[in-house]
Amino acid sequence: MMSRRRAIAVASPVPFVSASASAAWELNMTPGVTEVSQSVYSLHMTIFWICVIIGIVVFGVMFWSIFNHRKSKGAKPAQFHESTTVEIIWTVIPFLILIGMAIPATGTLVKMYDASEADMDIKITGYQWKWRYEYLNQDVNFFSNLATSQDQIYNRDDKGEHYLLEVDEPLVLPINQKIRFLVTSADVIHSWWVPSLAVKRDAIPGYVREAWTVIKEPGIYRGQCAELCGKDHGFMPVVVKAVPQEEYQEWLLAKQELARQEYELKNKQWTMEELVARGEKSYASNCAVCHQANGAGLPPTFPALAGSGIVKGPVEKHAEVVLHGVSGTAMQAFGAQLSEVDIAAIVTYERNAWGNKMGDMITPQQVAELKNK
Amino acid sequence: MSAVLGADAHHHHGPAKGFKRWLFTTNHKDIGTMYLWFSFAMFLIGGTMALVIRAELFEPGMQIVHPEFFNQMTTMHGLIMVFGAVMPAFVGLANWLIPMMVGAPDMALPRMNNWSFWILPFAFAMLLSTLLMEGGGPNFGWTFYAPLSTTYAPASVNYFIFAVHMMGISSIMGAINVIATILNMRAPGMTLMKMPLFVWTWLITAFLLIAVMPVLAGAVTMMLMDINFGTSFFKAEGGGDPVLFQHVFWFFGHPEVYIMILPAFGVASQIIPTFSRKPLFGYPSMVYATASIAILSFVVWAHHMFTVGIPLAGELFFMYATMLIAVPTGVKVFNWVSTMFRGSLTFETPMLFAVAFVILFTIGGFSGLMLAIAPADFQYHDTYFVVAHFHYVLVPGAIFSIFAATYYWLPKWCGNMYDETLGKVHFWMSFIGLNMTFFPMHFVGLAGMPRRIPDYALQFADFNQISSVGAFVFGTTQLLFLFIVIKCIRGGKKATAQVWEGADGLEWTLPSPAPYHSFSEPPTVK
Ligand code: HEM
Ligand SMILES: [Cu+2]
């Protein structure tokens, strides 16, 4: 146990967090890396010490009685049972303490609610069970999936250092910029939470809620979905990578370039082998959580795809189910989430995997036509 | 049918024989007994589910159950403990004790009493049967937030809704009965301000029940409509709002948590004076504090929703109101401590549980106060810190008070003393197990572990392991409780009428065991 804990402290990806701060993180709330998270931390510690002091007084009196006013020690019971004065005292004093506490809490809350004059906007959408990040007006958007392997989760492989707290693509953010998050959901309620930023905002389908942050230090900050959202609620982490402004700009440009290339792929002539190869990967990150890597699904909620009537039926029908989802079930409309290339690849892969030897394919162009129909 | 039996019972002045006694009984003691046994059975079933959860969380990785089943366990554990274990136990205590404490022969509405009990086994049989249905049982948490519990729910959700309706009807009938009994059947001279605190707290609880159970019924009915009849109360795509569900649920839910604790306050206020051999300190302020808690409990519900994004003014209002509720809660604790102060204390099992109740409930109150600070709640919300908070108020709060009450009044109920040594073993094992289970949850919660997850990151491993061991200690200890109670019912040292040296109240003027019909002639109250 000890060695594991030390390993985490030493290998901490955040060079600014000392080993002792990281050990404190084990027991207590993190002070975090924003002004807001630090005032939240100080509110937390203040109210904690207030409770400790009240506790010492109350339990002190109580244990004094427990030890000294025992019948076995010959204690004779007093008969007092009323005093309006003390009742008033112990109503008024706590009341005043609470007012003292409410004042700084109000200040911090007002600050947390002021999302105005942001430098940039990120739209965050919760999906069962992944996050989508859209850099508004920057033409960059992507999904962020759990990167921990099923083998680690099911104990067939050693667990890595960031077990369950690692993603395929983190949210990259610049430091010292006021970033506004617009949080929503595509299905059930999720909650986007990063402790180091003290941002926790429920993602509510059909509504957009705001939050904001200014990160003071570069680093990698990990969090998780905080609202029960179904089967894989425990498996949709949040990873934020905060970098200096220049590095962020470089990353953004590279990302935009990549998006352009992806877009070009749509017009390429794909062979079935290429589609199947790409489809296997996309299937693993988008479909396998429900339909399972071996296509067996988890009936009855998540049907099997191996031998499925739809997969072995006409290819257009199959692609339409993937594009538009099945309403009233957990099957989402992936047309809004994935590129035509990925949909074509996944459909082609499904038709030719796990003994579904259909031997046919669908091209990205055909998917685009179906989508616009 | 039951009319005939009622008349029949009058002739014999004793219980009918066999199974029919329990099926048709209108006797408050029989019905109280059935409620208590039912609640204990639910406690064991709900507890077993908790042990499944803790076994899975013993170490990182998925070992014994799948995430879908894990979610069903957390959901069912919560529902069964709240609606099946804690609430029926208090109704059972109310049945046994309220008539004896106010000097009445029985509850005011005995046939309704029978019915309100007998609904429960059917409601819970239906709820539990969903676990065997295709698609599994409820898996959306005991708070069943829409749309996870509507559009995305397993097919069995309709059975869940029906079961909740039945539990609600049962609770409302029980509450009506309590109010009617207390307001109409007190012995001459038993003025309201002379009533034992257990009676007072139950009177207030009963009003809370009548006020909020219909709200819960409304919430599940709206779900039923959304699922089956195409309405859109909670569906954004049809013009509804998922957050509406949370408002309605917590308007029920927060008073509900007080429904589970006010009778416990009553129990502690009976037991602590007895074993301190000193009258309860500040009786009138205890009554007023209970009433203020009950009233405030209607205006704090959104403290469960600090992160959904309600407007700033609302957020501030609910923060202040929640902080305010700590004041009357504090008054109660101070009064209990002052009752013990300069008393002549002994520590029989009921007192041990009652003192632990005061200490550990206060710890839960402290974490409640921390949670009330809205900005800090952004970090605490939906983590194990909240799990630690409500288990500290519910397990050593509600459950310990039920244990305390059982040990305290069991000699009156069955005429024998329980085994004091075993009672103390039960207390200490429960006390250690409970703190081992729930105290470390504060730490993992603050360190960032969300609640309701079947698997967790490696830095949470040590504390989770301790919690799991503690849970098994606590869980298995409860079998000892079962043994102690059965042993006591079957024999033991005969109890005197007063049972406890310092006990005061009408129930202690009756012989032990209390006769099947008590106070056919109203006693006089000085
Ligand atoms: C001093 C008095 C109390 C205060 C100020 C208080 C405050 C709070 C707050 C703010 C929350 C919401 C935390 C969150 O979800 O982020 C909460 C949760 C909760 N409290 Fe309390 N509380 C108090 C006493 C009690 C009592 C007496 C009970 C029950 C006997 C109770 C039971 C619960 C339960 C069950 C939850 C969690 C519900 C859930 O989300 O599943 N609390 N409390
Ligand atoms: Cu509450």
Side-chain angles (χ1 to χ4, degrees):
Chain A
M1 291 298 130
M2 257 345 267
S3 67
R4 186 199 301 147
R5 192 182 283 175
R6 203 163 298 129
I8 290 168
V10 172
S12 169
V14 192
F16 304 87
V17 176
S18 71
S20 68
S22 166
W25 160 245
E26 305 270 313
L27 276 182
N28 200 358
M29 184 190 286
T30 170
V33 291
T34 71
E35 215 179 292
V36 166
S37 71
Q38 279 153 5
S39 22
V40 164
Y41 175 77
S42 83
L43 285 172
H44 158 71
M45 290 316 287
T46 315
I47 186 77
F48 170 72
W49 286 115
I50 290 177
C51 290
V52 169
I53 292 165
I54 299 176
I56 290 174
V57 174
V58 174
F59 298 145
V61 175
M62 188 171 186
F63 278 97
W64 173 264
S65 311
I66 290 178
F67 289 117
N68 295 308
H69 303 153
R70 287 173 173 262
K71 193 181 177 206
S72 57
K73 290 196 175 165
K76 292 273 172 293
Q79 284 305 317
F80 66 86
H81 60 88
E82 225 162 5
S83 162
T84 314
T85 322
V86 301
E87 299 281 358
I88 291 175
I89 292 175
W90 64 44
T91 309
V92 171
I93 292 182
F95 189 73
L96 294 178
I97 296 176
L98 290 179
I99 291 180
M101 196 57 223
I103 294 168
T106 305
T108 306
L109 200 60
V110 168
K111 215 163 34 176
M112 288 172 108
Y113 262 72
D114 178 16
S116 62
E117 292 172 34
D119 299 315
M120 57 185 278
D121 287 333
I122 308 271
K123 184 175 170 210
I124 301 175
T125 312
Y127 288 80
Q128 282 180 324
W129 292 278
K130 59 198 166 202
W131 296 99
R132 177 188 214 165
Y133 301 116
E134 291 168 78
Y135 291 67
L136 295 186
N137 306 321
Q138 304 288 346
D139 287 331
V140 169
N141 90 80
F142 54 88
F143 282 87
S144 181
N145 294 286
L146 176 72
T148 306
S149 71
Q150 292 289 308
D151 283 342
Q152 288 190 26
I153 294 172
Y154 284 92
N155 312 307
R156 295 183 291 259
D157 200 351
D158 286 344
K159 297 188 183 2
E161 184 191 334
H162 298 299
Y163 178 70
L164 296 187
L165 297 179
E166 52 199 352
V167 294
D168 52 0
E169 253 201 285
L171 174 65
V172 177
L173 296 175
I175 57 168
N176 297 328
Q177 298 268 309
K178 182 158 181 178
I179 301 155
R180 186 164 67 141
F181 301 116
L182 301 165
V183 186
T184 187
S185 163
D187 37 56
V188 300
I189 300 178
H190 304 265
S191 188
W192 194 81
W193 179 34
V194 181
S196 295
L197 314 186
V199 172
K200 183 183 282 151
R201 190 46 98 201
D202 290 2
I204 297 159
Y207 293 82
V208 176
R209 295 283 149 86
E210 289 180 338
W212 65 273
T213 194
V214 177
I215 304 173
K216 294 201 286 197
E217 288 163 13
I220 293 181
Y221 307 111
R222 298 170 196 273
Q224 282 179 270
C225 176
E227 182 64 60
L228 177 62
C229 56
K231 175 172 83 71
D232 281 347
H233 164 53
F235 304 92
M236 50 182 293
V238 175
V239 179
V240 170
K241 184 174 172 199
V243 295
Q245 182 66 29
E246 314 77 66
E247 202 180 324
Y248 171 71
Q249 285 303 338
E250 274 166 38
W251 173 85
L252 196 66
L253 285 176
K255 205 62 195 163
Q256 284 164 340
E257 176 55 31
L258 216 65
R260 256 188 302 279
Q261 284 170 10
E262 273 288 308
Y263 189 77
E264 294 299 310
L265 281 181
K266 202 169 97 175
N267 301 319
K268 173 179 138 89
Q269 289 304 318
W270 289 80
T271 67
M272 196 171 117
E273 285 68 35
E274 284 170 333
L275 281 174
V276 168
R278 185 180 173 108
E280 186 169 2
K281 287 204 199 77
S282 297
Y283 179 90
S285 48
N286 293 291
C287 319
V289 275
C290 297
H291 296 292
Q292 306 297 299
N294 62 5
L298 294 167
T301 319
F302 307 115
L305 298 183
S308 133
I310 288 177
V311 176
K312 304 191 83 168
V315 67
E316 287 79 19
K317 185 84 207 337
H318 178 185
E320 272 172 356
V321 169
V322 179
L323 277 171
H324 307 307
V326 181
S327 71
T329 72
M331 180 63 190
Q332 301 161 9
F334 284 94
Q337 300 181 27
L338 301 176
S339 70
E340 285 87 359
V341 176
D342 276 318
I343 298 216
I346 287 171
V347 169
T348 307
Y349 170 70
E350 286 174 351
R351 299 180 76 78
N352 295 289
W354 327 296
N356 293 343
K357 299 198 180 66
M358 298 301 292
D360 60 359
M361 62 180 272
I362 185 169
T363 64
Q365 294 84 346
Q366 285 168 309
V367 171
E369 270 165 38
L370 278 177
K371 204 167 161 181
N372 297 330
K373 210 166 69 180
Chain B
M1 177 60 142
S2 58
V4 176
L5 253 146
D8 198 54
H10 248 280
H11 279 293
H12 297 298
H13 284 279
K17 292 276 175 289
F19 179 65
K20 281 192 175 168
R21 162 175 178 188
W22 301 106
L23 195 55
F24 296 125
T25 183
T26 54
N27 180 288
H28 74 104
K29 299 186 179 84
D30 284 352
I31 294 173
T33 305
M34 290 195 295
Y35 263 112
L36 290 170
W37 279 114
F38 175 78
S39 129
F40 190 72
M42 288 298 135
F43 181 58
L44 292 187
I45 294 174
T48 308
M49 292 172 176
L51 294 186
V52 173
I53 297 171
R54 281 317 324 169
E56 177 56 55
L57 294 177
F58 181 70
E59 53 184 2
M62 298 303 300
Q63 283 86 20
I64 49 181
V65 295
H66 282 285
E68 313 89 275
F69 190 71
F70 183 90
N71 288 347
Q72 293 173 40
M73 287 293 101
T74 54
T75 305
M76 288 295 234
H77 164 71
L79 291 169
I80 287 181
M81 286 304 194
V82 169
F83 295 102
V86 174
M87 292 171 71
F90 282 129
V91 182
L93 292 174
N95 258 293
W96 256 104
L97 297 170
I98 289 175
M100 299 202 297
M101 284 180 163
V102 300
D106 204 310
M107 295 294 277
L109 307 161
R111 293 201 183 88
M112 193 164 86
N113 204 6
N114 171 296
W115 194 26
S116 64
F117 171 76
W118 276 110
I119 287 177
L120 285 183
F122 294 96
F124 281 89
M126 182 149 64
L127 182 62
L128 284 167
S129 72
T130 60
L131 287 176
L132 308 173
M133 290 179 191
E134 187 164 303
N139 55 9
F140 28 64
W142 85 278
T143 52
F144 51 101
Y145 282 7
L148 188 61
S149 62
T150 54
T151 317
Y152 294 83
S156 65
V157 64
N158 292 317
Y159 292 89
F160 155 81
I161 291 173
F162 198 45
V164 169
H165 270 306
M166 289 168 71
M167 294 167 205
I169 292 170
S170 160
S171 292
I172 291 172
M173 292 197 300
I176 291 174
N177 215 343
V178 166
I179 295 175
T181 308
I182 297 175
L183 294 186
N184 298 313
M185 304 205 26
R186 276 170 291 131
M190 176 64 81
T191 59
L192 286 177
M193 288 310 270
K194 272 191 195 158
M195 294 193 314
L197 259 165
F198 181 74
V199 180
W200 253 118
T201 52
W202 240 113
L203 180 63
I204 292 167
T205 303
F207 278 105
L208 285 182
L209 276 168
I210 290 181
V212 301
M213 293 313 285
V215 178
L216 176 66
V220 293
T221 306
M222 286 188 263
M223 281 170 62
L224 191 74
M225 303 283 284
D226 272 11
I227 295 167
N228 300 295
F229 305 114
T231 58
S232 298
F233 289 106
F234 308 133
K235 278 187 221 149
E237 61 271 31
D241 186 350
V243 175
L244 171 66
F245 174 87
Q246 299 183 23
H247 282 294
V248 179
F249 179 85
W250 286 114
F251 189 82
F252 147 80
H254 188 83
E256 167 67 19
V257 306
Y258 283 96
I259 287 167
M260 294 188 282
I261 203 70
L262 296 185
F265 289 170
V267 168
S269 305
Q270 302 299 130
I271 293 176
I272 292 175
T274 296
F275 296 95
S276 304
R277 295 167 180 75
K278 187 163 158 277
L280 181 69
F281 188 83
Y283 173 95
S285 78
M286 286 300 233
V287 173
Y288 300 140
T290 312
S292 358
I293 291 174
I295 290 164
L296 282 174
S297 77
F298 286 107
V299 294
V300 298
W301 76 87
H303 66 212
H304 298 272
M305 305 163 56
F306 280 144
T307 63
V308 302
I310 47 179
L312 178 61
E315 196 99 337
L316 287 171
F317 171 81
F318 285 106
M319 172 168 82
Y320 299 148
T322 306
M323 290 169 80
L324 201 56
I325 221 169
V327 174
T329 313
V331 167
K332 304 212 71 128
V333 173
F334 301 144
N335 280 328
W336 287 318
V337 174
S338 308
T339 305
M340 291 168 67
F341 189 70
R342 295 194 38 220
S344 170
L345 304 177
T346 53
F347 295 92
E348 288 85 347
T349 311
M351 182 65 164
L352 287 175
F353 275 109
V355 172
F357 162 87
V358 176
I359 298 173
L360 301 179
F361 172 79
T362 304
I363 292 177
F366 286 148
S367 56
L369 191 54
M370 297 173 74
L371 291 164
I373 309 295
D377 186 66
F378 278 82
Q379 295 285 43
Y380 306 136
H381 177 63
D382 267 332
T383 67
Y384 261 84
F385 190 77
V386 175
V387 179
H389 159 66
F390 66 74
H391 282 94
Y392 261 85
V393 284
L394 286 171
V395 181
I399 306 275
F400 266 26
S401 86
I402 294 165
F403 289 153
T406 309
Y407 286 111
Y408 186 57
W409 282 292
L410 193 57
K412 176 58 64 192
W413 299 340
C414 68
N416 307 319
M417 297 304 288
Y418 61 86
D419 185 326
E420 189 64 56
T421 316
L422 287 182
K424 289 201 163 111
V425 174
H426 174 221
F427 168 77
W428 284 110
M429 297 284 287
S430 297
F431 183 85
I432 292 167
L434 164 137
N435 284 296
M436 245 177 106
T437 312
F438 299 115
F439 209 80
M441 290 184 185
H442 291 112
F443 302 139
V444 284
L446 291 174
M449 178 166 163
R451 64 192 281 205
R452 295 169 166 163
I453 56 175
D455 193 8
Y456 50 83
L458 302 180
Q459 69 263 36
F460 307 128
D462 301 1
F463 286 130
N464 271 288
Q465 215 151 63
I466 299 174
S467 280
S468 290
V469 173
F472 278 85
V473 172
F474 184 84
T476 42
T477 302
Q478 304 322 317
L479 297 175
L480 177 63
F481 178 57
L482 177 65
F483 175 79
I484 297 171
V485 170
I486 292 176
K487 184 169 173 229
C488 175
I489 292 173
R490 300 185 59 175
K493 210 181 106 210
K494 293 288 158 237
T496 61
Q498 206 199 357
V499 185
W500 309 107
E501 186 188 25
D504 185 27
L506 286 178
E507 75 270 32
W508 308 111
T509 63
L510 294 167
S512 304
Y516 196 56
H517 293 290
S518 39
F519 296 125
S520 310
E521 299 293 319
T524 37
V525 180
K526 339 143 240 162

